[in-house]
Structures are given as C-alpha cells and as structure tokens.
Amino acid sequence: MLKPESSPLLLNDYFVQRLSCEPNPGFNPKKPMDLTLEGISVSADVKEPEKGSGSWPVCLKVFHQISEKFNSPYSFHAEVMGYFSVSADYSKDRAPWLVKTNATSVLYSITREILRTAMSAGPWRPIILPTVTFYTKDLKAEIAARRQ
C-alpha cells in the first residue's frame, strides 16, 4: 500500500484568472468525441520568487478552440494562477525543477476539474482532459545543463 509523504512543494494559494466554456453547435454526439492533447493548447509561465518572498508565481493556461478537425463538445479557455513555496530544507539548485514539474502538474489537475465542472452545466457530457506530464525533454536538458 502506498503511503503519502509531505511534499517539499507547498501550494499557498490559487485563483481562476480566466474561465470560458462554450458548447459546440456542430458537435455530433453520435460520433466518438476525439479531442486529444494535439487539439489542446497547454502552457505554463513559471516565475522565480521575488527577492525575499519565497513565493513562486505560476500561471497555467489551457485552451481549445472548436475546429472541424475534432468532434469536441466544447471550446474552452482557462487560466489559473498559483503561488507555491519550496521547503527551506530542499535543495535550492533543484527548486526550479520541482516547481516547473510539480507546480504545473498541480495547477493542471485543478484546471482540469474546474473545466469539467463548468462543462457539466452544459448540454453535453463534460470532457476529461488528457493526463499530461511537464517533465519534458526540454526540461530534462535544462536540468542536465545546470548540473554541468
């Protein structure tokens, strides 16, 4: 059985900066819903903490525009802002990696549920956004470069 441990990453606060969700009048419920990560734009902006604050501001944006390429029931746009801190005993060199991979994942999960809740008030079944990872090849290369 898995037992959780305290994370060195702490979510201090978050709020929704932008939220829109619109039903697609061209959605065909008789066809499979085929929205994949290819049709969703996900971006994160991670800023270093201001001197003395220890608070890492992270903004996550998730966007999907209706197109004929995907049979998707909704278009949506969400921006969620979060403020994170890293435990004082955690390595200062590894803190950026922790925030870029884990804080973005936390905000994505929050955004995913916010969008699902908004869609559940619409005419079609809500979408469950695909699972993602922010531990990408680019981030792996950045981490490797810092270690050299």
Side-chain angles (χ1 to χ4, degrees):
M1 179 192 267
L2 289 175
K3 289 199 171 218
E5 295 181 8
S6 291
S7 173
L9 180 72
L10 308 168
L11 173 60
N12 301 315
D13 197 9
Y14 73 89
F15 61 90
V16 177
Q17 287 191 147
R18 179 176 182 170
L19 178 62
S20 67
C21 178
E22 297 178 24
N24 176 1
F27 174 65
N28 184 344
K30 294 180 181 173
K31 291 184 178 176
M33 198 279 299
D34 60 0
L35 181 62
T36 62
L37 192 55
E38 176 190 343
I40 301 171
S41 171
V42 179
S43 63
D45 184 21
V46 178
K47 301 238 188 283
E48 294 275 334
E50 289 185 20
K51 197 164 195 150
S53 80
S55 182
W56 294 74
V58 180
C59 181
L60 185 83
K61 298 176 184 180
V62 180
F63 175 79
H64 167 66
Q65 184 62 44
I66 293 170
S67 79
E68 292 182 12
K69 187 174 181 180
F70 299 102
N71 186 39
S72 171
Y74 299 96
S75 67
F76 49 85
H77 188 155
E79 293 180 18
V80 177
M81 186 74 192
Y83 293 91
F84 295 83
S85 57
V86 177
S87 296
D89 59 344
Y90 193 78
S91 165
K92 299 255 187 272
D93 291 338
R94 292 184 49 87
W97 169 83
L98 180 69
V99 174
K100 288 178 182 177
T101 57
N102 293 7
T104 51
S105 295
V106 168
L107 288 182
Y108 184 82
S109 294
I110 290 168
T111 304
R112 183 185 201 182
E113 285 306 306
I114 288 169
L115 284 168
R116 183 174 162 83
T117 300
M119 290 176 207
S120 69
W124 311 115
R125 289 184 51 117
I127 298 169
I128 297 175
L129 296 182
T131 305
V132 300
T133 180
F134 291 91
Y135 189 49
T136 63
K137 290 177 185 172
D138 291 342
L139 188 55
K140 288 176 189 176
E142 178 185 324
I143 292 164
R146 284 183 184 211
R147 288 184 181 156
Q148 294 175 352

